[in-house]
Amino acid sequence: MALTDEAITRIRGMIQSGELPPGSRLPPEPQLAAQMGLSRSGVREAVKALESARVLDVRRGDGTYVTSLAPRLLLEGLGLAVELLQDDTLLEVMEVRRMLEPVATGVAALRMSDNALDELGRILDDMRAAADDHEKLIQVDTAFHRTVIAATGNETLTSLMDGLSSRTLRARVWRGLIEGNSAHTTIEEHHAIYRALRSRDPMLAHASALMHVNTSEAWLRTVLADQAA
């Protein structure tokens, strides 16, 4: 493991220094191992680890390449990690969302295109039509917030929020809302966000999103408390 960790560090250093820029092809394994003064097995395991992290792309029969290093690739693993979080740590995720999502929604109010707003309106209609359908609500809720965050034009923020907005978390919140006969109220919170965005009012968009995240967090606390009981 120590040799693998060292190989990972060396390869990452080559990427950070610009010696291996995005899209470039790594030397063949024997050459790379000799160049770094490490064993081929250590280099091989390092490449596997960096491939899993979406830093490298191993193309069978062609070679190993540095990926585009785009945020959507490098932050992809965040969503997988969030899906494994338990109870209190899920509340920490909601706290992070409360810090980021309202600000992002305020920015979206100034940057969102008319086409994106029209799409958001259609998603809102789908949400109303699915008011009692747990699975469908999860899908349209995800699409709604992804459309809003993507409108910021910030790929890093979009990828980060995608990772934090786990399906498990949404499922627990919507299940609680439906069982508590509060799904319609939460759908209206989405409508309030939509109206603020349509009005191009960043402060109102921020406030509407903050209220919505607070409601979701409160329902998650309720669901977790019921499970503990």
Side-chain angles (χ1 to χ4, degrees):
M1 288 302 298
L3 291 176
T4 299
D5 289 343
E6 184 177 352
I8 290 173
T9 299
R10 297 282 290 277
I11 294 172
R12 286 176 56 190
M14 294 166 72
I15 294 171
Q16 290 170 327
S17 69
E19 184 178 348
L20 289 173
S24 62
R25 186 175 186 271
L26 271 67
E29 182 185 289
Q31 180 181 336
L32 184 61
Q35 181 179 331
M36 295 192 295
L38 298 172
S39 68
R40 291 181 59 178
S41 62
V43 171
R44 188 179 305 118
E45 292 304 313
V47 167
K48 288 180 181 178
L50 291 171
E51 181 185 20
S52 296
R54 301 296 189 267
V55 175
L56 298 179
D57 177 22
V58 178
R59 305 174 189 174
R60 307 303 173 192
D62 184 10
T64 299
Y65 293 80
V66 180
T67 66
S68 65
L69 302 180
R72 61 181 175 78
L73 288 176
L74 299 183
L75 294 175
E76 189 177 89
L78 176 62
L80 299 176
V82 170
E83 287 289 348
L84 298 175
L85 296 179
Q86 305 292 310
D87 300 348
D88 288 348
T89 46
L90 281 177
L91 290 172
E92 291 182 3
V93 172
M94 289 299 298
E95 186 175 35
V96 175
R97 280 188 59 191
R98 180 154 38 88
M99 294 174 183
L100 297 178
E101 196 163 322
V103 175
T105 306
V107 172
L110 299 175
R111 298 182 182 178
M112 205 163 195
S113 68
D114 289 340
N115 287 339
L117 281 167
D118 291 342
E119 174 63 19
L120 199 64
R122 288 189 288 271
I123 293 171
L124 190 57
D125 290 339
D126 290 341
M127 188 177 290
R128 288 200 180 94
D132 298 313
D133 186 333
H134 179 249
E135 288 299 320
K136 183 65 174 176
L137 280 172
I138 296 171
Q139 294 174 19
V140 292
D141 183 42
T142 300
F144 183 95
H145 291 285
R146 182 174 291 154
T147 300
V148 173
I149 303 302
T152 65
N154 187 318
E155 187 181 352
T156 300
L157 178 61
T158 301
S159 300
L160 180 61
M161 293 305 297
D162 268 349
L164 292 173
S165 303
S166 78
R167 189 185 188 285
T168 297
L169 190 151
R170 290 186 189 279
R172 290 190 178 189
V173 171
W174 278 109
R175 185 175 293 111
L177 289 166
I178 291 174
E179 291 175 355
N181 296 315
S182 297
H184 290 280
T185 301
T186 302
I187 290 171
E188 287 309 308
E189 291 177 359
H190 286 81
H191 189 207
I193 294 172
Y194 171 72
R195 287 199 308 269
L197 291 167
R198 180 65 80 176
S199 299
R200 307 291 185 184
D201 188 330
M203 295 301 292
L204 184 58
H206 181 287
S208 300
L210 180 59
M211 180 176 292
H212 171 58
V213 176
N214 282 344
T215 299
S216 298
E217 183 176 353
W219 272 104
L220 180 60
R221 289 183 184 278
T222 299
V223 170
L224 295 177
D226 288 346
Q227 287 178 350

